[in-house]
Amino acid sequence: MIIDCDPGHDDALALLLGAGDPRLRLLGVTTVAGNQTLEKTTHNALKVLALAGVTGIPVAAGCDRPLVGELVVAANIHGVTGLDGPDVDVPVAEVAAVHAVELMRRLLADAAEPVTLIATGPLTNVALLLRRHPEVMPRIRRVVFMGGSTERGNTTPYGEFNIVTDPEAADIVLRSGLPTTMIGLNVTHQARATPEIIAEFRRMGSRLGAVCADLMTFFAGTYLREFGFPDPPVHDPVAVAAVIDASVVRTVAAPVAVELTGTHTRGATVVDLHHRTGRVANAVGVGLRVDSFWRLLMAAVRQLGGT
Ligand code: BDR
Ligand code: CA
């Protein structure tokens, strides 16, 4: 699989799960502007892989803004670096000399079998890939993305950050005809980094475990301030967990549309759970086996951290 991301605290954990779980083969990482500017999300992706000791995975930078409109970053949640919290520096690898869309195209073309795209940021790069290189679509097994919600939003009352940041991109992906799985806030809000979870990261005794604990401690602070949540929801690795083990996230078939206009609802995902519209269904996450999710994530971080 390929992970397209905008690290981001929870994107960092998604990368660790994707790189550390033995059942997955991470072919490449692509970055997009979202939680922070493209320059910062790209540096952060390289930093997370370096901290985890993961080498040889190409990382390419993609779009620096949404398809339409201006970028609004989430510094209120992820800080000025996009990955505030841990006080560690590490030498990072070079970013690939090609655009993210070109790296995805090449990886898809060269792969022996169809590849799963996991997107944990705005869907700008994925949409551009489908528009620019429709010939690669048969090479994509499915797109699993963190974004949207069957219920409320977090950036606007009904809009979730990744979709609100680039609604047109999400619309292109959801209407592409590819199998897509939406992992929305209705699921990810169940994956909370409680004090026990943070303590478990710290108890690993590895630098990577400590970094995860520091990331989640910072994230807890901003989520408490912004949303009043006692424990922060760790959205993005849930999308990776859904790919590793289908029993961790329960999905139903339901058509998903993206509100592109709307006086108050631009960027909202309109999920037709009762099949009223007759549109083609996508897969939509509706339930999470929370303990199994954390077991997968902890095992991956432990495996990468060496302790
Ligand atoms: C999503 O928005 C970002 O801030 C997170 O990284 C996650 O992908 C949650 O709405
Ligand atoms: Ca993200």
Side-chain angles (χ1 to χ4, degrees):
M1 44 107 199
I2 298 170
I3 298 185
D4 185 67
C5 58
D6 64 337
H9 293 67
D10 50 336
D11 302 78
L13 295 190
L15 284 173
L16 296 178
L17 181 54
D21 190 282
R23 282 158 288 188
L24 294 178
R25 197 160 148 242
L26 181 58
L27 299 175
V29 172
T30 51
T31 57
V32 66
N35 286 324
Q36 260 300 350
T37 60
L38 180 68
E39 200 187 331
K40 292 181 184 179
T41 59
T42 305
H43 178 75
N44 291 342
L46 291 166
K47 186 172 173 179
V48 170
L49 295 178
L51 282 167
V54 176
T55 54
I57 307 282
V59 176
C63 299
D64 65 358
R65 71 194 79 166
L67 296 180
V68 177
E70 295 306 318
L71 175 69
V72 181
V73 300
N76 58 331
I77 299 289
H78 299 275
V80 286
T81 65
L83 214 49
D84 278 14
D87 187 18
V88 284
D89 227 357
V90 63
V92 301
E94 287 282 311
V95 68
V98 290
H99 191 278
V101 169
E102 176 57 14
L103 178 64
M104 287 196 267
R105 188 196 68 74
R106 290 184 192 175
L107 291 173
L108 289 165
D110 293 349
E113 51 187 282
V115 172
T116 298
L117 296 186
I118 302 178
T120 63
L123 286 156
T124 321
N125 288 338
V126 181
L128 206 60
L129 172 75
L130 302 184
R131 276 300 172 97
R132 212 172 143 79
H133 301 293
E135 75 280 3
V136 300
M137 285 180 48
R139 311 295 308 148
I140 300 174
R141 186 183 302 275
R142 62 177 173 139
V143 180
V144 180
F145 69 93
M146 189 283 132
S149 177
T150 59
E151 315 161 344
R152 60 184 164 163
N154 61 1
T155 302
T156 63
Y158 287 99
E160 178 279 332
F161 178 79
N162 289 336
I163 310 296
V164 166
T165 299
D166 198 337
E168 280 73 19
D171 177 60
I172 288 170
V173 173
L174 279 160
R175 292 195 298 110
S176 65
L178 284 172
T180 57
T181 303
M182 175 177 117
I183 307 294
L185 298 176
N186 54 299
V187 176
T188 64
H189 276 180
Q190 297 167 46
R192 302 286 184 102
T194 61
E196 292 73 37
I197 292 291
I198 295 176
E200 192 172 338
F201 278 129
R202 215 172 282 289
R203 269 201 309 275
M204 288 178 188
S206 62
R207 179 178 67 172
L208 192 60
V211 165
C212 291
D214 290 346
L215 283 172
M216 289 303 103
T217 303
F218 180 88
F219 208 38
T222 56
Y223 255 94
L224 181 64
R225 192 184 65 225
E226 292 286 322
F227 293 102
F229 285 7
D231 307 310
V234 180
H235 311 278
D236 293 334
V238 179
V240 183
V243 174
I244 296 171
D245 181 348
S247 74
V248 175
V249 181
R250 190 166 77 81
T251 60
V252 295
V256 181
V258 180
E259 184 62 271
L260 296 178
T261 54
T263 309
H264 305 290
T265 54
R266 176 169 154 79
T269 44
V270 181
V271 184
D272 182 14
L273 289 168
H274 297 295
H275 299 270
R276 301 291 86 190
T277 58
R279 298 172 77 138
V280 178
N282 310 99
V284 176
V286 291
L288 180 68
R289 284 171 57 196
V290 177
D291 292 347
S292 310
F293 164 73
W294 284 116
R295 258 198 304 280
L296 287 180
L297 189 52
M298 290 298 168
V301 175
R302 226 174 251 119
Q303 146 87 19
L304 291 165
T307 319

